[in-house]
Every structure is written in structure tokens, then in C-alpha cells.
């Protein structure tokens, strides 16, 4: 039975990953967190001193290009959380890649052409047979332009900053709301204005502004869109 490809794009901290993970688990699809892939490259760059001294955003691109073959990203299902964890070269880095240190630097890394080319190739390989839910910035426009279901998610910057703040505090990590809000706004600008694969809504994507929606409401909304797009009657519920 045919399984479709689901592309969920949108701004940072708008709940794309939570929606995508929950949908994948509900319908028995594979979930791929493309944002975690770019965060993992950023973590690798940080650990290997590839950001030039005194700058959070200036990268030694030639050295990063040379080291790209050393960066291997994979996902393993965590039975305790019911969701996949991110591994960088075999090391569990799920918590490290969510830090503000990484968040402050990931957009410049994600804007580099050869980094995106390498990540897109991996993502297309992961989703070549369908049955995948993938979220990011350019899934519906670049990675899977023929995806059967495309969703573009957004919310106000203030709402997204508060969600990110609550997420970090909930994990016992340090968090400053004003710093997070600045980071959200800066990432919006960089993601939307980069030369390679800028963030934009695909022409055939369904827009979802979830500023005033609960997680259960978002989950039901996305499930309904899946039912409408799926050719497999056995997956249609309700």
C-alpha cells in the first residue's frame, strides 16, 4: 500500500517537530528532524573550533568543507520517549543540540550551500520510499517538492520565544526570554533572506498559524490533513 511523503516547514520554535513526531507515531511513519541535522553540524563546528575567534557567526568554511565527510548524523528510536534521538558520529547529542549556544549559530551554518547540499542528499535518501514525516525550512520547496502533503507552520515571535523558554526550563536548562526572542527574530530574518533555499511557503502548502492552538488541537488538525491526503483507507480514522 502506498505511503505518502509529508513535508512540514515553518519558522523556528513554532512546534513543527512536536507535530511531526506525533503524526509519525500516530500513523506509523518514520520521522526525520532535519533541524536536528543542521544543529548537529553546528555542534560539530563548535567542538572543533570552526567559528572564528570573537565571533558567533563567522565560520571557517574551507575547514568545515574539508571536515564534512567526518560528520555522520543518525536517528535512533528512544522507547522511553517514543521519539527518535539524534546521534552525531555515534554519540547521543539530543540535549546538546538544543542549547542556546547552538541555537545562536545554527542559521549561519544552515545557510552554507555545501552544508545544505550534503544534508538534502541525506534527507532525500531517508525519504526515498515515502512513509516519512520530515520537518524543516525547505522540505516542501527543495527536499521533497512533490510531497503529497505540505504544511507551513508559523506563530508570532513572542509566542515562539515563550514556548522555547518553557521547553528549556522544563529540561532544567538556563534560559533568558529576551535572549530567546532576539534569537527567534534573528533566525527568522536569516532563514528568510539566505541565498540558498530560503524559508518560504510552497505554493501548494497548507498554512497553519498555531499561535492560539493547543498541542492536542494542532495534532487533530494535522491528522485531518493526513486523512485527506492519504490514499490508504486503512489509515483514515474517524
Amino acid at each position: 500500500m502506498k505511503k505518502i511523503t509529508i513535508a512540514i516547514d515553518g519558522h523556528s520554535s513554532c512546534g513543527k517537530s512536536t507535530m511531526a513526531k506525533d503524526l509519525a507515531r500516530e500513523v506509523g511513519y518514520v520521522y526525520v528532524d532535519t533541524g536536528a541535522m543542521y544543529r548537529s553540524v553546528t555542534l560539530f563546528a563548535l567542538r572543533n573550533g570552526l567559528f572564528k575567534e570573537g565571533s558567533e557567526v563567522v565560520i571557517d568554511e574551507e575547514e568545515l568543507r574539508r571536515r564534512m565527510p567526518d560528520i555522520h548524523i543518525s536517528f535512533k528510536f528512544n522507547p522511553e520517549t517514543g521519539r527518535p534521538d539524534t546521534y552525531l558520529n555515534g554519540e547521543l547529542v539530543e540535549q546538546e543540540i538544543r542549547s542556546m549556544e547552538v541555537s545562536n549559530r545554527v542559521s549561519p551554518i544552515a545557510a552554507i550551500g555545501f552544508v545544505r547540499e550534503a544534508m538534502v542528499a541525506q534527507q532525500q535518501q531517508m525519504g526515498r520510499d515515502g512513509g516519512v514525516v520530515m520537518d524543516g525550512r525547505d522540505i516542501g520547496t527543495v527536499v521533497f517538492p512533490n510531497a503529497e502533503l505540505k504544511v507551513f507552520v508559523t506563530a508570532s515571535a513572542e509566542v515562539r520565544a515563550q514556548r522555547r523558554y518553557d521547553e528549556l526550563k522544563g529540561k532544567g536548562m538556563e534560559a533568558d526570554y529576551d535572549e530567546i526572542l532576539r534569537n527567534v527574530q534573528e533566525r527568522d530574518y536569516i532563514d528568510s533572506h539566505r541565498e540558498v533555499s530560503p524559508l518560504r511557503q510552497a505554493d501548494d502548502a497548507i498554512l497553519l498559524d498555531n499561535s492560539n492552538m493547543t498541542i492536542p488541537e494542532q495534532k487533530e488538525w494535522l491528522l485531518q490533513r493526513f486523512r485527506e491526503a492519504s490514499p490508504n483507507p486503512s489509515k483514515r480514522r474517524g
Side-chain angles (χ1 to χ4, degrees), residues 2-52:
K2 177 177 171 55
K3 292 185 176 182
I4 67 173
T5 297
I6 302 167
I8 302 178
D9 290 309
H11 295 95
S12 65
S13 303
C14 62
K16 300 186 304 297
S17 296
T18 298
M19 292 177 66
K21 290 172 184 175
D22 287 346
L23 178 64
R25 181 171 50 192
E26 181 76 14
V27 302
Y29 277 23
V30 174
Y31 167 70
V32 177
D33 183 351
T34 64
M37 297 174 73
Y38 290 104
R39 285 175 172 271
S40 296
V41 175
T42 305
L43 180 63
F44 179 91
L46 277 166
R47 287 179 169 181
N48 288 274
L50 301 185
F51 286 91
K52 295 184 179 179

Side-chain angles (χ1 to χ4, degrees), residues 56-80:
E56 291 187 348
V57 297
V58 180
I59 305 128
D60 185 342
E61 291 193 23
E62 286 308 309
E63 183 62 15
L64 178 58
R65 185 194 296 271
R66 190 182 71 81
R67 299 292 300 275
M68 283 302 293
D70 299 332
I71 301 175
H72 303 285
I73 302 163
S74 58
F75 298 93
K76 296 180 183 178
F77 184 76
N78 183 331
E80 293 185 5

